[in-house]
Amino acid sequence: MRLVNKWIKSLSALALALPLLAEAAAYKSEYRLSVVPGPTSGWAKTADYFADKVKERTAGRVNIKVYPAAQLMAGKQTSEFMLLRNGSIDFALASTINWSPQIKELNLPALPFVMATQPDRYKATDAMLAGKSGKLMIEAVEKKGVKFLGWAENGFRELTTSKGPITTPDDLKGLKIRVVGSPIFIDTFNALGANPVNMNWSEATTGFQQGLVDGQENPTNGINLTLKIWDFHKYYTDWHYMNDPLLMCVNPGVWKNFSAEDQQILQECAAQAELYGKALSRLGMDDGAALKYLTELGLAPGYDDPYKVLTDNGMEISKLTPEQLQLFYERTAQARAKWEKNLGTELIEALHADLQSVQ
Ligand code: X2X
């Protein structure tokens, strides 16, 4: 009798546990991955690359669909993090800029002209992301409630304007420049004497068309070229004033539901997407490694010199000399000091140590 009772007890425990087990194992038929810019951007291409790799490696168990053009947040790009955290979005390949209003630490890469004045801006970027300052940023993201899978890159943000050329801070005086609605950008462009206008990317192209603003800043390969920025602006200032790293992240509930094997695959695919995304963003602007990598993958776009594409389309490029850059660096000193204070000593010291390690 006691044995029978024991059996009944374990059977009912099993019956209770079964639906839970089944629920934990059930995958969604589609996972939604959010991307802010349009489908031809380097950023959306990186997300597609990741989704394809994941599908292939999991034999279709994990089916990720990329939703570009901020469609999962009705264009409001700075609400992406909250939507990922609450599970309205499953995955995001997101810019630190769009999440920085909620996660202070993500303002670090936007400190104006810090990376631009390093001996090698790409080595400096990689040292930040892989170093202690990168770890502190990841910790901050995870503490706020989403799981980090890997970095990728939108790229160094360059200035394009309809009035110009812009080679000194004084040239920017009074120009209306479209920026993302994140306070560090307002401070930086105010410091430069410009008139920063907060506008979602979803409305920006119309804004350029209608001349609501005189300029904007975005990376060369991933955005300015794919958008054909020459349709709106003639002047290009290659000032590298900040790098725009991307974070591949997933909602923690979604993450926990994946098997250990699939979690491992997702991590590996994110690492591959980082290499691909960085190569796309750096093409023609590094020591040749990006083009080599893309060519080996068979995924090189049909050009190898982005600057030639810009000039062929009538743009006038100003590549700033170190002396010219120094003026921009000095003019933004107060904005930098304010944000360094805001970010705190630990993070700023970590960044300096990371940068030092590649000098
Ligand atoms: O809005 C922008 O400028 C963009 C597309 O680069 C970001 O989402 C940060």
Side-chain angles (χ1 to χ4, degrees), residues 273-290:
E274 172 170 356
L275 296 176
Y276 173 66
K278 281 183 173 171
L280 268 186
S281 124
R282 298 174 184 192
L283 174 75
M285 295 188 286
D286 65 355
D287 57 4

Side-chain angles (χ1 to χ4, degrees), residues 15-319:
L16 275 177
L18 268 179
L20 286 178
L21 284 175
E23 200 178 314
Y27 284 11
K28 293 188 189 182
S29 57
E30 177 192 294
Y31 292 95
R32 305 198 301 171
L33 191 159
S34 162
V35 166
V36 166
T40 58
S41 63
W43 191 342
K45 276 192 188 161
T46 307
D48 284 337
Y49 181 84
F50 171 73
D52 288 348
K53 286 257 172 284
V54 170
K55 195 170 188 173
E56 190 186 307
R57 296 260 330 263
T58 61
R61 283 191 302 282
V62 181
N63 175 32
I64 299 172
K65 183 167 176 212
V66 176
Y67 286 80
Q71 57 187 289
L72 297 179
M73 64 212 86
K76 207 170 171 309
Q77 61 201 77
T78 48
S79 61
E80 187 181 48
F81 174 75
M82 304 308 279
L83 295 172
L84 179 66
R85 187 166 80 172
N86 77 19
S88 309
I89 297 174
D90 302 305
F91 287 84
L93 181 57
S95 163
T96 51
I97 298 176
N98 294 328
W99 289 11
S100 58
Q102 288 91 29
I103 307 165
K104 174 179 93 171
E105 289 79 357
L106 294 184
N107 284 291
L108 188 72
L111 286 174
F113 299 101
V114 170
M115 291 295 169
T117 45
Q118 296 301 308
D120 181 325
R121 66 184 192 276
Y122 289 120
K123 271 194 188 150
T125 301
D126 290 339
M128 169 180 72
L129 298 182
K132 188 175 176 209
S133 51
K135 278 203 185 68
L136 290 171
M137 285 194 275
I138 296 168
E139 271 171 33
V141 167
E142 298 207 318
K143 227 162 112 188
K144 286 266 161 103
V146 307
K147 164 79 186 150
F148 170 89
L149 293 176
W151 295 105
E153 186 163 285
N154 192 14
F156 278 92
R157 298 177 74 92
E158 316 297 358
L159 180 71
T160 72
T161 50
S162 54
K163 297 174 184 159
I166 311 292
T167 57
T168 72
D170 288 340
D171 298 330
L172 261 174
K173 202 167 178 359
L175 288 199
K176 282 193 199 152
I177 306 295
R178 176 269 166 183
V179 294
V180 183
S182 170
I184 194 168
F185 294 92
I186 307 286
D187 288 345
T188 299
F189 283 85
N190 275 335
L192 290 170
N195 181 0
V197 180
N198 162 11
M199 201 183 273
N200 279 316
W201 188 240
S202 52
E203 287 149 14
T205 314
T206 318
F208 305 154
Q209 222 152 24
Q210 297 177 346
L212 295 180
V213 288
D214 305 309
Q216 63 97 37
E217 41 73 60
N218 252 297
T220 305
N221 284 310
I223 303 271
N224 292 335
L225 252 64
T226 55
L227 188 72
K228 298 190 165 69
I229 196 70
W230 47 82
D231 286 345
F232 315 107
H233 301 149
K234 181 174 167 54
Y235 301 99
Y236 209 94
T237 302
D238 213 42
W239 64 357
H240 324 308
Y241 89 112
M242 65 159 289
N243 194 333
D244 184 4
L246 302 177
L247 308 122
M248 181 69 81
C249 290
V250 54
N251 172 277
V254 169
W255 175 250
K256 277 192 205 114
N257 212 26
F258 290 132
S259 68
E261 183 200 352
D262 288 341
Q263 287 183 345
Q264 177 69 26
I265 292 175
L266 282 159
Q267 298 272 18
E268 287 168 15
C269 293
Q272 282 179 293
E274 172 170 356
L275 296 176
Y276 173 66
K278 281 183 173 171
L280 268 186
S281 124
R282 298 174 184 192
L283 174 75
M285 295 188 286
D286 65 355
D287 57 4
L291 178 62
K292 189 163 170 278
Y293 186 74
L294 292 173
T295 308
E296 278 164 13
L297 286 182
L299 292 173
Y303 65 90
D304 54 20
D305 182 355
Y307 298 110
K308 186 169 182 309
V309 180
L310 295 170
T311 47
D312 283 352
N313 283 287
M315 293 199 87
E316 196 179 311
I317 302 176
S318 305
K319 290 195 181 196

